Amino acid sequence: MGEKRAALLASELGIRSVGDLLHHYPYRYIDRTKIYRIGELSEDNASSFVQLRGRIVGKAFLGEGRKQRLTATLADSTGQLELVWFQQTKWVDKQLELGREYLVLGKPSFFGGKANIVHPEIETVEKFLSRGNLGMQGVYGTTERLTSAGLASKGIYALVCTLWERIKENITETLPDYLVGRLDLLSRREALQNIHFPTSPQMLRRAIYRLKFEELLGVQLGILSVKAGRTSLRNGFLFPRVGELFHDFYENHLPFKLTGAQKRVVKEIRSDCTSGHQMNRLLQGDVGSGKTLVALMSMLLASDNGFQSCMMAPTEILARQHFASISKMLSGTSCQGRVAVLTGSTKTRERREILERTASGEILILIGTHALIEDRVKFQNLGLVVIDEQHRFGVEQRAKLWTKNSQPPHILVMTATPIPRTLAMTLYGDLDVSVIDEMPAGRKPIKTYHLKEALRLKLNGFLKSEIAKGRQVYVVYPLIKESEAMDYQNLYDGFDNIIKAFPLPDYRVGVLHGKMPPDEKAESMRLFSEGVNHILVATSVIEVGVDVPNATVMVIESAERFGLSQLHQLRGRVGRGGNQSFCVLMSGDKLSREAEARLEAMVETTDGFKLSELDLKLRGAGDVNGTRQSGEAIDLRIASLSSDGQILEQARLIASTILEEDNSLSQPKNRLLAGLKERYKPKNTIDYGMIS
Ligand code: ADP
Ligand code: MG
């Protein structure tokens, strides 16, 4: 094709090579073997594509100027229907001859029982027949700019046809015969042919299956061999002692009893740290399940064995809060005074001192933000790295932390975003996973309500009654980059309204958002967490990790604008003490169906896993909040992590069986698999072999 179109294909769809085009699969198919009668159309087949054959028996221009439209009446022996065009009406009018027979393709819709099709594709019956039987025709993804350059779905289809004729003889197999045979898969050539030009619905299904399987097998081979590479090394620090510090803390300072799940996870971590292998563990636990304590106990274990630890949090507020609560828990132990916090806003002198004490080994636990990654932060012997709310950290940032030693420290990654199994197997397939699946005793499930503006006064009354009981309230506003200025305006307006409704001296209201200077932020957080302020008006900066057990109400403004996992995270800020807590979702009156579904789900369940499964369904894997990196990390063309769970499980099982027998894929029969593995090698995992 010409250079211009080629450049457009590259910039719009990332199609740069013959291979890219070959793997640009249709996202839908139209069955062109079926021609409907007009009389057969009903509300049931509305909004799916149908083909009709009939004569144009009338046409007219209606309306004026820009609103002008062209309508034509199509008739067959069973009835009539209206065709409508709003654009290019003059041109279409020229194509339509009264009395002539046409083949029409489009999506019918119904108005008052009458069918019409807006912007159908039309061609004369002679032309349609001359092209022979089309079977199932693929519909290809395209863009507006490509469409106006003549590359609508049809244009891309034509390109693929030309391409296929030239290369079909050269398609080579990517899976070994023994797998193709055992699983009764289509060959790669058959699969590619049928994904573009299906000869039957059954062949199409098999083609899709084969291509999805190949893709997911590649991904699993890649991830599992990274893991196998790591576990084949014996370069993990050893923490054999459960020493004085750990015991002292456990027996004399632990403010509550550990839950069974916390105990189990501490054991799992301990066994990792005595195995001789480097630990790489993902700790999943719903908000409020007590991950911080598990992290702390692991860090004490490191200290008992002469190693330093660091704990990295995604925000300054969170880092300072961890520091405050950990220092408090450790006061009176031999670790007292040997904990420090380092963030971007730490003053120069204090920073210098902390850096020195860290390098000398005096600091046992260093808590901080991204500031911990900087090169000037040097440890004497870093043995354990804890990363809290991991999804906020870029992949390279994590990698950098673990290269602070010649020998890799143990890594504990903690996340409250419940990750659906399929996604976890793919994104974190190289990590071992622990789950805290039990909440501390005495927690009451949070009650969630969805209210609209009309009930605002009632809400205020409710907030006052909670404050009268000595409780505290969060009010959160959305803040989205694209609408930042307006969102801030909403926040300030909201703040003003709240001050009016909750006046001094009875009520004290604070504000917290990302644009405040760090010390003001810290001060605002302090006033709230010490119970001085009753209400905290904030943007979603408080989404992650903030812990004020006395806060019992979370009001989320414009809740329809938040994603499900964000809503769940926000709600997790309350319900942390023994008191009944509440989450109130305020929304506009008119909601999209998806927003309605999200808010309904929040009201119905507090189960983070259920919510994340739903989120995955509603939004698709690449976009699930908090796991956005999945988009870059795994490049899936056809398989979907939200709907192909079964194929994924199968691929994983097969991949691990193959690797067990031939972990480097060096046997001749696995030669093709070695290539497949390379192609799908995960980009976001560290090559652990490189570090040692
Ligand atoms: P998250 O898993 O969301 O990080 P945190 O570690 O912040 O949760 O813990 C939430 C709250 O529960 C904190 O106030 C913490 O002190 C408390 N907590 C943790 N473990 C227990 C436990 N075993 N029993 C009672 N309260 C606990
Ligand atoms: Mg936490």
Side-chain angles (χ1 to χ4, degrees):
M1 80 185 78
E3 249 174 61
K4 247 191 170 160
R5 279 173 138 201
L8 208 52
L9 261 187
S11 64
E12 294 287 295
L13 293 177
I15 296 176
R16 293 187 174 78
S17 64
V18 164
D20 289 340
L21 184 58
L22 188 62
H23 297 300
H24 184 60
Y25 305 138
Y27 65 94
R28 212 159 43 71
Y29 298 84
I30 302 168
D31 185 354
R32 304 221 59 170
T33 58
K34 165 93 184 152
I35 295 179
Y36 283 81
R37 307 274 189 135
I38 293 174
E40 281 181 275
L41 298 183
S42 71
E43 309 263 358
D44 292 342
N45 43 31
S47 40
S48 55
F49 275 88
V50 297
Q51 286 185 121
L52 301 163
R53 179 177 172 167
R55 285 179 204 285
I56 299 294
V57 296
K59 57 178 182 173
F61 281 99
L62 299 175
E64 290 290 313
R66 279 183 55 223
K67 288 204 173 143
Q68 195 188 52
R69 62 187 194 273
L70 171 66
T71 68
T73 308
L74 182 79
D76 68 11
S77 59
T78 66
Q80 295 195 344
L81 132 155
E82 197 97 305
L83 308 176
V84 187
W85 288 266
F86 296 98
Q87 279 154 21
Q88 295 178 304
T89 48
K90 298 248 153 56
W91 183 82
V92 175
D93 182 41
K94 269 193 217 135
Q95 315 299 308
L96 287 179
E97 245 175 76
L98 274 179
R100 189 152 182 197
E101 212 183 358
Y102 291 90
L103 205 285
V104 173
L105 174 69
K107 287 187 206 175
S109 52
F110 289 83
F111 274 116
K114 281 175 81 182
N116 67 48
I117 299 181
V118 177
H119 287 182
E121 282 179 25
I122 46 165
E123 61 188 344
T124 59
V125 164
E126 295 78 40
K127 187 159 177 223
F128 175 74
L129 294 177
S130 75
R131 277 191 291 135
N133 190 346
L134 284 166
M136 313 260 290
Q137 191 185 318
V139 181
Y140 290 84
T142 181
T143 67
E144 230 169 87
R145 294 181 63 190
L146 282 169
T147 302
S148 42
L151 286 176
S153 168
K154 250 185 172 172
I156 295 181
Y157 175 77
L159 277 182
V160 176
C161 289
T162 315
L163 175 71
W164 183 252
E165 284 312 313
R166 292 208 197 162
I167 64 167
K168 62 184 180 191
E169 301 307 326
N170 305 325
I171 305 284
T172 54
E173 190 46 74
T174 44
L175 294 176
D177 288 346
Y178 73 89
L179 272 185
V180 175
R182 177 148 41 101
L183 301 172
D184 193 23
L185 300 174
L186 291 186
S187 73
R188 184 149 179 273
R189 180 190 306 165
E190 286 171 308
L192 286 171
Q193 174 157 20
N194 277 282
I195 198 93
H196 290 292
F197 323 107
T199 49
S200 70
Q202 194 219 355
M203 285 301 274
L204 174 60
R205 264 198 307 279
R206 292 185 66 194
I208 291 174
Y209 182 82
R210 144 90 210 210
L211 294 170
K212 284 181 173 176
F213 175 79
E214 170 179 332
E215 198 164 76
L216 293 171
L217 182 71
V219 170
Q220 290 303 322
L221 284 173
I223 285 180
L224 291 174
S225 42
V226 169
K227 185 170 176 177
R230 172 163 56 82
T231 43
S232 72
L233 297 172
R234 299 202 62 86
N235 61 348
F237 289 125
L238 290 173
F239 297 178
R241 279 163 50 91
V242 180
E244 191 202 317
L245 191 51
F246 189 95
H247 280 306
D248 179 33
F249 178 76
Y250 190 75
E251 260 130 54
N252 308 319
H253 297 270
L254 194 60
F256 24 63
K257 270 177 66 186
L258 290 184
T259 63
Q262 284 172 318
K263 274 190 204 158
R264 191 190 65 233
V265 174
V266 170
K267 266 194 203 136
E268 283 167 353
I269 291 170
R270 200 172 111 64
S271 114
D272 283 353
C273 298
T274 50
S275 71
H277 301 298
Q278 182 215 6
M279 171 172 80
N280 261 281
R281 191 166 279 281
L282 176 71
L283 173 55
Q284 262 184 271
D286 212 341
V287 276
S289 60
K291 295 184 292 294
T292 317
L293 198 60
V294 170
L296 175 59
M297 297 188 66
S298 316
M299 295 194 287
L300 295 182
L301 201 61
S303 309
D304 268 338
N305 288 277
F307 289 96
Q308 294 169 291
S309 319
C310 73
M311 178 162 175
M312 191 157 69
T315 65
E316 162 126 26
I317 291 178
L318 191 53
R320 295 200 176 273
Q321 189 176 307
H322 279 323
F323 173 69
S325 65
I326 286 178
S327 308
K328 197 163 132 206
M329 282 197 268
L330 292 180
S331 79
T333 68
S334 61
C335 209
Q336 183 175 345
R338 301 183 71 181
V339 183
V341 60
L342 185 71
T343 70
S345 64
T346 305
K347 301 273 180 318
T348 316
R349 247 184 67 195
E350 195 191 346
R351 169 184 308 270
R352 195 180 317 132
E353 192 198 313
I354 292 174
L355 291 180
E356 270 165 26
R357 293 173 67 214
T358 303
S360 73
E362 191 192 330
I363 297 284
L364 290 177
I365 296 177
L366 183 62
I367 299 166
T369 53
H370 293 77
L372 295 183
I373 304 172
E374 290 169 21
D375 288 332
R376 57 185 166 171
V377 182
K378 297 222 157 56
F379 292 85
Q380 193 195 39
N381 56 351
L382 180 62
L384 171 67
V385 173
V386 179
I387 301 177
D388 194 15
E389 308 295 352
Q390 150 290 331
H391 60 269
R392 301 287 160 125
F393 283 109
V395 174
E396 301 95 89
Q397 291 169 325
R398 271 190 278 154
K400 223 168 158 190
L401 253 184
W402 36 111
T403 50
K404 282 195 177 290
N405 274 10
S406 53
Q407 199 176 337
H410 296 299
I411 310 282
L412 180 66
V413 171
M414 307 200 290
T415 176
T417 312
I419 302 163
R421 200 179 137 69
T422 48
L423 200 56
M425 271 183 346
T426 310
L427 269 185
Y428 305 110
D430 65 317
L431 305 183
D432 296 310
V433 179
S434 291
V435 181
I436 303 191
D437 49 7
E438 182 187 352
M439 285 289 175
R443 295 272 172 83
K444 300 191 179 76
I446 301 166
K447 292 190 177 155
T448 304
Y449 302 94
H450 173 197
L451 302 186
K452 299 190 173 170
E453 206 48 44
L455 293 176
R456 172 75 61 186
L457 275 180
K458 221 169 164 187
L459 171 67
N460 287 349
F462 171 68
L463 298 183
K464 285 181 180 167
S465 73
E466 279 294 298
I467 294 171
K469 288 185 204 157
R471 312 282 150 68
Q472 291 165 281
V473 176
Y474 294 104
V475 180
V476 176
Y477 282 83
L479 181 60
I480 292 155
K481 261 215 192 95
E482 291 75 46
S483 55
E484 200 177 89
M486 225 167 74
D487 287 347
Y488 269 110
Q489 196 53 49
N490 290 341
L491 173 81
Y492 295 134
D493 292 349
F495 183 55
D496 283 345
N497 289 335
I498 286 174
I499 288 177
K500 277 185 207 129
F502 296 85
L504 286 165
D506 291 346
Y507 301 102
R508 282 178 306 273
V509 184
V511 68
L512 182 66
H513 60 73
K515 278 198 181 156
M516 287 159 62
D519 47 338
E520 276 179 39
K521 267 194 250 178
E523 177 65 4
S524 174
M525 201 57 229
R526 186 186 67 79
L527 288 172
F528 189 70
S529 64
E530 290 178 1
V532 177
N533 283 342
H534 301 114
I535 302 181
L536 183 63
V537 180
T539 56
S540 39
V541 283
I542 63 157
E543 178 190 338
V544 181
V546 169
D547 185 27
V548 180
N550 191 50
T552 56
V553 189
M554 167 64 65
V555 179
I556 305 176
E557 298 288 344
S558 305
E560 72 272 26
R561 295 181 55 201
F562 287 96
L564 250 187
S565 84
Q566 241 185 331
L567 289 172
H568 180 63
Q569 294 280 315
L570 284 170
R571 177 167 60 184
R573 298 308 112 212
V574 296
R576 315 195 123 222
N579 298 317
Q580 177 62 55
S581 291
F582 305 87
C583 174
V584 182
L585 308 168
M586 296 300 290
S587 82
D589 287 331
K590 284 226 173 87
L591 297 177
S592 72
R593 196 183 300 174
E594 203 205 303
E596 193 81 57
R598 259 182 279 142
L599 301 186
E600 209 170 280
M602 283 291 292
V603 172
E604 249 154 48
T605 182
T606 51
D607 182 331
F609 264 91
K610 274 195 199 144
L611 291 172
S612 77
E613 295 279 359
L614 183 70
D615 200 28
L616 189 63
K617 284 213 186 86
L618 289 176
R619 291 145 61 94
D623 195 31
V624 171
N625 194 328
T627 45
R628 237 166 267 139
Q629 27 171 299
S630 59
E632 327 145 18
I634 15 166
D635 185 12
L636 296 177
R637 287 181 188 278
I638 182 165
S640 143
L641 295 178
S642 49
S643 54
D644 295 324
Q646 266 185 338
I647 309 180
L648 179 60
E649 302 260 3
Q650 186 194 25
R652 181 159 177 105
L653 190 68
I654 291 174
S656 69
T657 315
I658 293 171
L659 287 171
E660 227 160 77
E661 190 200 289
D662 179 14
N663 71 8
S664 56
L665 299 178
S666 49
Q667 293 178 15
K669 66 171 185 183
N670 288 330
R671 186 181 51 86
L672 290 174
L673 292 178
L676 193 64
K677 179 196 94 177
E678 275 312 304
R679 194 151 352 114
Y680 288 99
K681 208 159 140 185
K683 289 173 219 148
N684 77 331
T685 39
I686 313 310
D687 194 342
Y688 299 93
M690 296 286 292
I691 297 170
S692 59

